[in-house]
Amino acid sequence: MKNIINHIKTLIILCVLLLVGTAVFANGLQPKREFRGAWIQCVNGQFTGMGTRQMQETLAYQLDKLRECGVNAVIFQVRPECDALYESPYEPWSRFLTGRQGKAPYPYWDPLAWMVEQCHKRGMELHAWINPYRAKTKGTAELAKSHIAIKHPELVFAYDGQLILNPGIPENRDYICKVVADIVARYDIDGLHMDDYFYPYPAAGQSIPDVKEFVAYNNGIKDRDDWRRYNVNVFVKQLYETIHSVKPWVKFGVSPFGIYRNKKSDPNIGSMTNGLQNYDDLYADVLMWLGNGWVDYCVPQLYWEIGHKAADYETLIKWWNRYAYNRHLYIGEDVVRTVKSPDLRNRNINQLPAKRKLHAEMGNVNGTVLWYAKAVVDNVGNYASLMKNVYWKYPAFSPVMPYIDGKAPKKVRKMKYLFVDGKLVLFWKAPRGKGWKNEAVKYVVYRFTEGEDINIEDPSKIVAVTKDEFYEIPDGAIPPGVKVNYVVTALDRLSNESKPQKKSFKY
């Protein structure tokens, strides 16, 4: 009886959330342009020692579920500790893949190459996620002989059970950029992503052992904190330039800790918070990177709830919205924390509706990245159900980045209907255009019934996003005697959309 009552309570809460969410959606708050990402991490051990087939099946299942929820970009962890979940000429295979660092997967496969193919097949972007400086996590007991900390121990320092590539040594900047240039050159990724680990998070009673490097490489900077920020700034700029020199269309994104500075540290631009600070504690001057255009998108990790005493979510989303600096701003969301935190005005529901409302009100917030993918896939607190049925009910494309490329490809050509094995199929040809700025990489198919305006800004009319140059019309999609207009547009690598091309059909 108790289980039945709990089940009824869950259904009631879900219905309330659906009603609240539907009201928000009814106000026209679902955009067609929105970055909808999810982090797939490996350091939690979810794939360790799985084996090739099981890991592929697990990832394919996660990707399918994420796509159902409206996710259009996956941020996949490929380099957690100077290792690789891909075939690297510089770093050993990750223990988070095979259970032992340096051990190749068997049967052999390349997870990054596979993920690029699988994401693109589903119309999703793939961003390769690296940790730049961390060389060993606390849980790693053995490093491979080819690992940089074994080959060049002078390049790392120990801190709180970890090994860190010393940001104060210029050679390390060059090394990380070499590794990234290799990833960008060999894999058809859409973005290169870094998380929040720059200088290590402070640990009580420990200090960063970089006095020698400060003396050798201070460049006339007298304050060691300023010098540490300088080291990270130079690295971020160098990495941005490296990525775009190899492939100009690959987006560079950073996901910093959620607080830049507290107001007590900086009365002018600090936030009304009281927590760890990027600028002071991690030596990450994120606002400098944004202001100078050294990153293409920023995803501050706002993992707290609305009303949190030290780091209120509402305070922080408004702060980051104010300091977006004409770069894309996406919000890093903690799925579990969101659904476990009650709404401040109605404690019978969780904070998802309130957070989505804040997103819609922020003029510079261009999207969301969900922490983490498995929580979404498992539908913790009905989070996935709400995203699928309300907030991300219809497809969306990444916002355009005119600072990289703002020109759309030409229209698709030679649209026609053909019957193939009894199925009606719409075919088209790629638009003419050479070079990455003019080539189409995927297509959007819209459906309009007779009498409807051809409005491609309405995402509810999207029926497919595909790499193929054809679309199979589902049975019943064209009722007898009714003229239906199918419209196809082309998207380039930066999601610039061509003008529509229309083709009608009537049985």
Side-chain angles (χ1 to χ4, degrees), residues 234-285:
V234 172
F235 163 67
V236 170
K237 181 176 185 290
Q238 183 177 342
L239 186 58
Y240 174 85
E241 292 171 347
T242 297
I243 292 166
H244 287 289
S245 69
V246 178
K247 288 179 180 174
W249 62 85
V250 172
K251 307 167 188 177
F252 175 39
V254 177
S255 179
F257 183 73
I259 298 172
Y260 175 67
R261 299 193 85 185
N262 300 310
K263 187 165 282 291
K264 66 181 181 181
S265 298
D266 189 332
N268 293 320
I269 64 171
S271 55
M272 289 295 293
T273 50
N274 185 27
L276 188 87
Q277 303 167 103
N278 276 292
Y279 185 90
D280 303 83
D281 301 312
L282 303 178
Y283 309 101
D285 191 352

Side-chain angles (χ1 to χ4, degrees), residues 337-354:
R337 201 159 185 167
T338 296
V339 298
K340 287 189 174 181
S341 301
D343 185 274
L344 299 186
R345 297 181 179 180
N346 180 0
R347 300 189 71 82
N348 291 319
I349 64 173
N350 64 44
Q351 291 194 357
L352 177 58

Side-chain angles (χ1 to χ4, degrees), residues 55-104:
M55 184 170 171
Q56 288 179 350
E57 290 175 350
T58 300
L59 284 169
Y61 176 77
Q62 290 188 4
L63 293 179
D64 287 340
K65 288 296 183 181
L66 292 172
R67 184 178 63 170
E68 286 179 14
C69 296
V71 169
N72 58 23
V74 168
I75 300 176
F76 180 55
Q77 190 172 26
V78 300
R79 185 183 181 266
E81 50 179 3
C82 292
D83 54 356
L85 274 83
Y86 65 97
E87 186 179 354
S88 172
Y90 304 115
E91 298 184 317
W93 286 101
S94 176
R95 77 171 178 90
F96 295 109
L97 177 63
T98 63
R100 183 176 183 181
Q101 192 177 92
K103 180 182 177 182

Side-chain angles (χ1 to χ4, degrees), residues 335-455:
V335 171
V336 174
R337 201 159 185 167
T338 296
V339 298
K340 287 189 174 181
S341 301
D343 185 274
L344 299 186
R345 297 181 179 180
N346 180 0
R347 300 189 71 82
N348 291 319
I349 64 173
N350 64 44
Q351 291 194 357
L352 177 58
K355 286 188 174 182
R356 296 314 303 174
K357 184 174 183 291
L358 282 170
H359 274 241
E361 292 170 351
M362 300 296 111
N364 291 321
V365 172
N366 307 115
T368 310
V369 183
L370 304 178
W371 176 259
Y372 53 100
K374 191 175 185 302
V376 183
V377 171
D378 292 344
N379 198 21
V380 175
N382 295 304
Y383 192 100
S385 297
L386 268 294
M387 301 312 287
K388 175 182 177 180
N389 296 314
V390 181
Y391 300 107
W392 290 350
K393 183 176 182 179
Y394 302 119
F397 315 128
S398 290
V400 296
M401 290 184 172
Y403 42 87
I404 299 179
D405 171 37
K407 184 179 178 181
K410 294 181 179 179
K411 294 197 295 186
V412 302
R413 303 175 294 126
K414 298 181 179 180
M415 286 178 63
K416 60 182 178 181
Y417 294 95
L418 292 174
F419 282 95
V420 180
D421 296 329
K423 296 284 187 178
L424 182 64
V425 181
L426 175 63
F427 291 88
W428 60 87
K429 292 288 186 182
R432 289 190 173 90
K434 294 182 179 180
W436 68 270
K437 289 187 176 183
N438 301 306
E439 293 176 347
V441 296
K442 55 188 172 184
Y443 304 93
V444 188
V445 183
Y446 302 81
R447 179 186 179 276
F448 301 90
T449 56
E450 189 172 7
E452 286 186 314
D453 292 334
I454 306 298
N455 176 20

